[in-house]
Amino acid sequence: MKRVLQGLAFAISVVGSSHSVDAKLIKFEVLRTESPTFEGRTFPPVGTYDRIIARATIAVPPDDPHNSVIVDIDHAPRNAHGLVEAVSDVEILRPTIATNANRRLFYEVVNRGNKLGLALFNDTGVLNDLAKAADAGNGFLMSRGYTIVWSGWQGDTAAVGGRLTFSPPIVPQVTGLSREEFVFDHLENPAVATLSYPASDLDPAQVKLTVRERESDPRTAPNDLSMKFEDSKRVAISRPAGFDAGAIYEIIYLAKDPKVMGVGFAATRDIVSFLRYEKADEEGTPNLLAGQVDRAIAFGASQSGRYLHDFLYLGFNADEAGRTVFEGLMPHIAGGKKTFTNYRFSQPGRSPYQHADTVYPGSEFPFTYPVITDTITGRTDGVLARCLAAGNCPKIIKTDSEIEFYQQRASLVATDTQGNGLAMPDNVRLFLISNLQHFALANDRSALARTCMFPTNPLHAGPPARALLVALDAWITDGTLPPPSRYPSRDDATLVPPTAAAVGFPQIPGVHYSGQMTRATVVDFDKMPPVKGAAYPVFVPKTDADGRDIAGVHLPTLAAPIATHTGWNFRKSGFAEGELCDNNGSMFPFAATREERVKNNDPRLSLAERYPREGDRAAAVSKSAKQLVQDRLLLEQDIKLFMANIN
């Protein structure tokens, strides 16, 4: 596998280069404008918003040192000027009256083409077609005057459901091995699956097909396991006896026509740079935001948060003219991972988890921001390495939920590769939003997911995320320091080995704390399938007697809990029982009375014991919320959200 260039040498070459090329956004085409949008809804004091749907064509010089890190760009087709072109969907929300904008560009990296940011900051659902008044939710970003921008970057996203897409160049007549993993979570037989790249040889005998029940099990090829091609990108797998719906099917095949996915980083860079700095595109079409943006913040959740790690690590926070793209970054629920994007035959949608996709690229060293030495491989690197060399590091506020420590290698953000506590640079703040699952909407309720053992965790990260965005904005605008980090640490023993004794998780009836988690290892990606090597030490948050993470930002409802909330959940019988249930958390209610908890042998205090008088819980929630406001981890306006939801 052709892999991304790594180390400090690239950063030094960029800083020392005298090569100068104008940023190349050759065409910015506005397809339609909705003025005003949201059915004319007004957001005091800013007013109405306009929605612009556009398409951007970029053209990058492949030999420019800002672009040469892109894998296969030297093999990509070029236009008549020797540049590599790509096309991206773009969407912009801006105040109708430009002078009412706050002169901040809020760029959200889309997640598989979808917009998640408004679900977090504006308490909406996950919506792509933002047209109705209700689609703006609580209007938080609009009432503060942000100009909001999205653009496509993932070159294998289908243009359905309003997703923003990206069309990267394709390298023709190139073949190589590609690997797919499928967990179907159903028992249909045969099971039909779509490959990421077309197969160059449709002979099933040339495909290596295996199955295993769990990720740690040996790969097997039973006699009753087989497959056939329905076409060059679709396969039908005949499933063997003895494996349940959660089994892992792996296909290794000869693929063709790789996409130059890394150009997606250049697309984000050049689109944002154009909107910030240029008066017009190469064809003379005026920039509709010209002169209206002073600062830019990038936000990404989950996959798109990992994308921000790559974007910074690969040196894309400077455009081809050396100008800063983003002053602030907010990677949310990204743990210690990057993405499988800047590779030949890449699959950006993959994310290594405990049960599946474990040995895909995107989770290897460096895991954290400062430059450190990996004591296992001997490499010295860090996510900040290139921006430190270039002198353009942004301010970073990173937020994770509890599940990132179990699924996303988050402890390696806060430790070195020997497991020792690690201090963050002055431009980085880390926050654990305690006891949350990966993502929940503002109106979610605990419910049984089809594949999970326990009811899910409905806690929503929106309120602290809003406060931290305000803090980041002030940090990049006038230097007002944000709140200090609140993240588990080895130094204060809030980050511990994943054992029941060390974690201190309560012995809840019917719940066995197993310490199941993703075990980070060195991986040899030159072998197919990749082979695991030496393991890194990994840790998880220590809890109190209620199962509440000791470290982190406690939502007011956690300060006066009615249940134990966890970031993790387990797969149930029939779906690889006992493995982590993807990104789902759990909720375990307290007993109502002392008699009930004693009868059930539940060590946690009952609701009646915790809140013996009417109003006790409301008082505790109110006290916690006011303290969070004082600590700048909650906005005053959000206190009422917690008070309104007291049961």
Side-chain angles (χ1 to χ4, degrees), residues 81-136:
H81 302 287
L83 305 176
V84 175
E85 293 189 12
V87 179
S88 176
D89 293 337
V90 181
E91 185 167 337
I92 300 172
L93 290 174
R94 65 171 184 179
T96 304
I97 301 173
T99 55
N100 288 349
N102 67 1
R103 303 188 65 82
R104 302 289 180 271
L105 188 152
F106 179 90
Y107 179 84
E108 182 193 352
V109 183
V110 290
N111 184 308
R112 296 165 177 84
N114 298 305
K115 307 181 183 88
L116 300 184
L118 294 190
L120 186 69
F121 293 101
N122 282 31
D123 290 350
T124 68
V126 177
L127 306 168
N128 288 331
D129 185 15
L130 303 170
K132 297 185 180 300
D135 296 344

Side-chain angles (χ1 to χ4, degrees), residues 425-490:
D426 290 342
N427 66 310
V428 177
R429 297 289 189 275
L430 306 178
F431 295 91
L432 165 65
I433 314 300
S434 305
N435 294 89
L436 268 63
Q437 67 177 30
H438 193 61
F439 201 81
L441 300 177
N443 61 351
D444 275 355
R445 298 291 181 266
S446 183
L448 279 171
R450 189 174 66 90
T451 59
C452 297
M453 192 177 294
F454 304 118
T456 57
N457 180 346
L459 297 182
H460 172 58
R466 288 190 280 273
L468 289 171
L469 174 59
V470 171
L472 178 58
D473 198 332
W475 196 12
I476 67 174
T477 299
D478 56 27
T480 301
L481 292 177
S485 294
R486 291 197 183 187
Y487 209 70
S489 170
R490 294 290 289 157

